[in-house]
Amino acid sequence: MTADDALMSTIIVQGAAWISLLWSSFVIIVQSIGIYKLFRNHSKPLAQPVSPWLPEDEVPHVTVIRPVKGVEPALYECLASTFRQTYPKTKLTIRLCVASRDDPAYPILQQLVADFPDLDAEVLVEEDDPLLHGSRGHVNNLGPNPKIRNISRAYREAKGGVIWIVDCNVWVAKGAAGRLIDKLCGFRPNGVRATQYKFVHQLPLVVDMDAPRTEEALSLLSPDSNRWQSRDSRRLSDRGGRLEEMFMGTTHAKFYSAINTVGVAPCVVGKSNMFRKSDLDRLTDPSQNPLLSASDASRGRGVDFFSSYICEDHVIGDLIFKSAAPGFLKHGLSFGDVAIQPMSGMTAAGYIARRVRWLRARKWTVLAATLIEPGVESILCCLYVAFALTTIPWFHENLGISQTWGEMAAIWASGMVTWMFIDRRLTSKLHKLQSAEVDESTPSFARGTSRQGGVQQRPFLEWLAAWLGRELLALPIWTWAVLLGTTVEWRGKKFRVHPDMSVVEIEDGKDLGPQPSRKDSRTSSPQSASKGRVD
């Protein structure tokens, strides 16, 4: 090797070391912000909301839309949590949306409406939607996104000016509606008004339960994961749930809180989102929103505008975030409020299928963030730190760090142990649910590990097995999802995701053909360089 070659090699190695140091420092700073916010806001009960106690004519009317597909774990308790809100009943409208009366969840929805007769609640069946069926409707009036098709009628016929979309498989505390309204509208105690937001949401959290999943719920998993479970259901019956619980309580929670604290980019998960109907209607009208193209005029308004997209929650949040609204803040996370998803019986294969689905869905939605995602995980991030500290001369000259492989391995191992113990403290804090309201109707999975009748804290070795499994699977899942495929399975259907974020349903390996709005979607897909969805 010549002197020039040696110099060039040194420059490359030192450059890579400095890049590794800068990147890992950035990741540590972002995670530290998230950890600080989580500990600060999840350590004591939240204050009671202001809006439910305002004069009736000042309380915003909220339409709660809950899309339902199959019998999820604790479905009745999750849906009933929106019926039990401490919010004026005259200002609350609830719409439970299901695709068909043949859905196994349909009797549960009817029972809920019957059990709470004092609320304006109704079950809406997609098969009865006049936009999609009947003499004046057509099945292709909306794109293939099954969630949008499910909730379209409830949105169009909403009675209130505020829309609260809550997935069927999450439980929310009884003060959630009021606190979200407080943040959205700027209500504060003693008549003080803060700056209003365009969009507010909650932190999602998964609690894995030991009860077996129902047959109806198992049918929602991918065929491959069903076959895996049938071969060895006892061995893998709850490992996927533990992995999902770990992911949502560590990596996802840290970045979700940090990004929403800094507020430089949209970061939204569609578990519990609230916004004004008038805002979304206006922002999806090309004549009122310069971000859109005139060709988008035929794509519908409100949620219908997004029926050709997958990751509709992120795309809705992205459009609201980027669109101008003088005098309003963009996105607001209701810190301390959690949308709790009980989970039961998910296999490891089911967890992998879920992560692959969402990585492929958001690959084109937030491409840059998806490509760098492996670098925020513990294994690679600690490796970057170890490489930088044992390569950059300053650390050797001033701190005495040896430039050897053994030292690099020791630093990496120390970093992993530190990361692990921080995650242990964080998950213990979040799953105590100290900020959540609890009463006699609160189910066990929402009581927290610190209260009687709640889920017990995971023993350390059991927790460690889930943590190691989650960390070790992160890179293989990312590689399979991002580099080796473009199809996703969602709500019992298979879709091909296109670079413009639109989707086409496929059947027997063949595209079913573009939807009417497909050709226009490329002109205005709201792109983002944010972390975005990580679930």
Side-chain angles (χ1 to χ4, degrees):
M1 178 181 293
T2 66
D4 288 343
D5 290 339
L7 177 62
M8 180 59 65
S9 177
T10 299
I11 291 173
I12 292 173
V13 171
Q14 291 295 316
W18 277 104
I19 292 173
S20 297
L21 180 64
L22 292 173
W23 173 254
S24 56
S25 298
F26 171 75
V27 172
I28 291 170
I29 290 171
V30 172
Q31 290 208 52
S32 298
I33 293 172
I35 292 168
Y36 167 75
K37 293 293 289 186
L38 290 169
F39 272 88
R40 179 181 178 182
N41 293 286
H42 293 264
S43 296
K44 60 183 179 180
L46 296 174
Q48 289 299 308
V50 174
S51 51
W53 316 113
L54 294 172
E56 186 174 356
D57 59 346
E58 297 181 22
V59 180
H61 193 116
V62 179
T63 297
V64 185
I65 300 176
R66 305 209 64 166
V68 180
K69 172 70 175 179
V71 181
E72 291 283 345
L75 178 64
Y76 183 96
E77 290 81 2
C78 289
L79 294 175
S81 67
T82 42
F83 287 79
R84 295 182 172 126
Q85 291 296 299
T86 52
Y87 202 79
K89 290 180 169 52
T90 58
K91 296 291 185 175
L92 200 65
T93 297
I94 300 176
R95 296 294 179 256
L96 308 174
C97 306
V98 66
S100 167
R101 289 179 177 83
D102 294 330
D103 190 294
Y106 184 70
I108 297 176
L109 308 187
Q110 290 181 304
Q111 185 63 52
L112 273 162
V113 173
D115 288 347
F116 296 89
D118 55 341
L119 278 167
D120 178 9
E122 185 179 353
V123 180
L124 295 183
V125 181
E126 182 185 319
E127 292 176 343
D128 297 334
D129 188 345
L131 180 68
L132 299 173
H133 305 280
S135 58
R136 297 186 179 182
H138 193 280
V139 69
N140 285 335
N141 279 343
L142 293 175
N145 183 306
K147 184 174 178 179
I148 297 295
R149 295 174 70 88
N150 188 304
I151 68 175
S152 172
R153 184 180 178 186
Y155 179 90
R156 297 193 316 267
E157 299 177 359
K159 293 183 178 181
V162 175
I163 302 294
W164 185 19
I165 301 177
V166 191
D167 282 1
C168 69
N169 57 5
V170 299
W171 178 94
V172 291
K174 61 183 181 180
R179 282 187 291 271
L180 287 170
I181 283 289
D182 286 355
K183 199 168 189 74
L184 184 74
C185 301
F187 294 124
R188 294 294 182 267
N190 303 318
V192 175
R193 292 295 296 269
T195 305
Q196 301 182 63
Y197 281 85
K198 294 186 289 182
F199 183 101
V200 295
H201 52 124
Q202 294 177 271
L203 174 74
L205 193 66
V206 168
V207 175
D208 187 44
M209 303 187 299
D210 294 327
R213 184 184 277 266
T214 63
E215 290 298 323
E216 293 87 350
L218 284 173
S219 68
L220 299 179
L221 297 175
S222 68
D224 289 341
S225 48
N226 279 336
R227 286 196 293 271
W228 194 345
Q229 172 146 355
S230 64
R231 286 199 300 267
D232 196 349
S233 59
R234 289 177 298 175
R235 185 168 61 91
L236 294 174
S237 61
D238 66 353
R239 292 184 183 179
R242 292 289 193 271
L243 295 172
E244 184 74 7
E245 178 183 281
M246 186 63 62
F247 171 71
M248 298 300 288
T250 54
T251 297
H252 183 274
K254 288 182 285 189
F255 280 99
Y256 200 77
S257 294
I259 295 171
N260 279 291
T261 296
V262 178
V264 296
C267 184
V268 175
V269 173
K271 293 298 180 184
S272 174
N273 299 335
M274 180 181 285
F275 50 86
R276 296 173 186 83
K277 186 176 187 294
S278 59
D279 284 348
L280 194 61
D281 288 343
R282 175 178 58 84
L283 297 178
T284 51
D285 183 351
S287 67
Q288 301 184 65
N289 190 348
L291 292 181
L292 304 182
S293 166
S295 61
D296 289 315
S298 62
R299 299 182 57 217
R301 299 290 176 269
V303 298
D304 290 356
F305 184 90
F306 306 94
S307 64
S308 294
Y309 294 132
I310 201 164
C311 276
E312 73 295 322
D313 43 17
H314 172 79
V315 182
I316 289 172
D318 186 66
L319 181 63
I320 293 176
F321 186 92
K322 291 181 175 180
S323 301
F328 287 82
L329 297 174
K330 295 182 177 182
H331 285 187
L333 179 62
S334 183
F335 286 103
D337 254 326
V338 288
I340 303 173
Q341 180 184 353
M343 188 167 286
S344 177
M346 174 180 276
T347 64
Y351 166 78
I352 293 171
R354 178 181 173 88
R355 294 290 301 129
V356 167
R357 178 173 74 245
W358 289 118
L359 278 168
R360 286 182 178 173
R362 63 186 286 271
K363 175 166 61 175
W364 302 116
T365 311
V366 280
L367 178 60
T370 305
L371 293 177
I372 64 174
E373 187 164 305
V376 307
E377 302 287 1
S378 62
I379 295 175
L380 281 182
C381 191
C382 290
L383 188 62
Y384 294 154
V385 172
F387 172 65
L389 295 183
T390 56
T391 303
I392 297 173
W394 187 92
F395 294 104
H396 174 65
E397 296 167 0
N398 293 275
L399 301 180
I401 297 178
S402 302
Q403 296 181 320
T404 64
W405 290 109
E407 186 81 354
M408 183 175 171
I411 293 173
W412 175 82
S414 298
M416 289 292 294
V417 171
T418 302
W419 196 302
M420 176 194 67
F421 277 109
I422 291 173
D423 279 355
R424 172 65 171 178
R425 286 288 308 277
L426 179 61
T427 54
S428 296
K429 168 60 70 176
L430 290 178
H431 283 273
K432 287 180 180 178
L433 297 176
Q434 291 171 303
S435 60
E437 299 151 294
V438 171
D439 59 20
E440 66 280 355
S441 65
T442 304
S444 61
F445 62 80
R447 290 182 172 272
T449 59
S450 61
R451 296 188 182 96
Q452 185 176 5
V455 176
Q456 292 184 347
Q457 181 174 320
R458 309 296 179 206
F460 177 72
L461 291 180
E462 182 180 324
W463 180 93
L464 179 62
W467 187 85
L468 288 173
R470 213 296 300 180
E471 301 302 310
L472 292 172
L473 283 172
L475 184 58
I477 289 174
W478 180 89
T479 303
W480 176 257
V482 176
L483 304 180
L484 301 175
T486 59
T487 62
V488 298
E489 292 186 20
W490 187 33
R491 293 195 168 207
K493 298 180 180 180
K494 181 175 285 188
F495 301 92
R496 191 180 309 282
V497 184
H498 293 268
D500 62 358
M501 295 180 297
S502 63
V503 293
V504 172
E505 186 178 348
I506 57 178
E507 192 173 286
D508 298 327
K510 298 179 180 180
D511 289 2
L512 296 184
Q515 300 297 325
S517 60
R518 163 81 188 282
K519 59 183 176 60
D520 297 323
S521 63
R522 288 188 296 270
T523 62
S524 62
S525 7
Q527 300 292 336
S528 170
S530 71
K531 178 77 177 173
R533 170 189 287 279
V534 292
D535 69 325

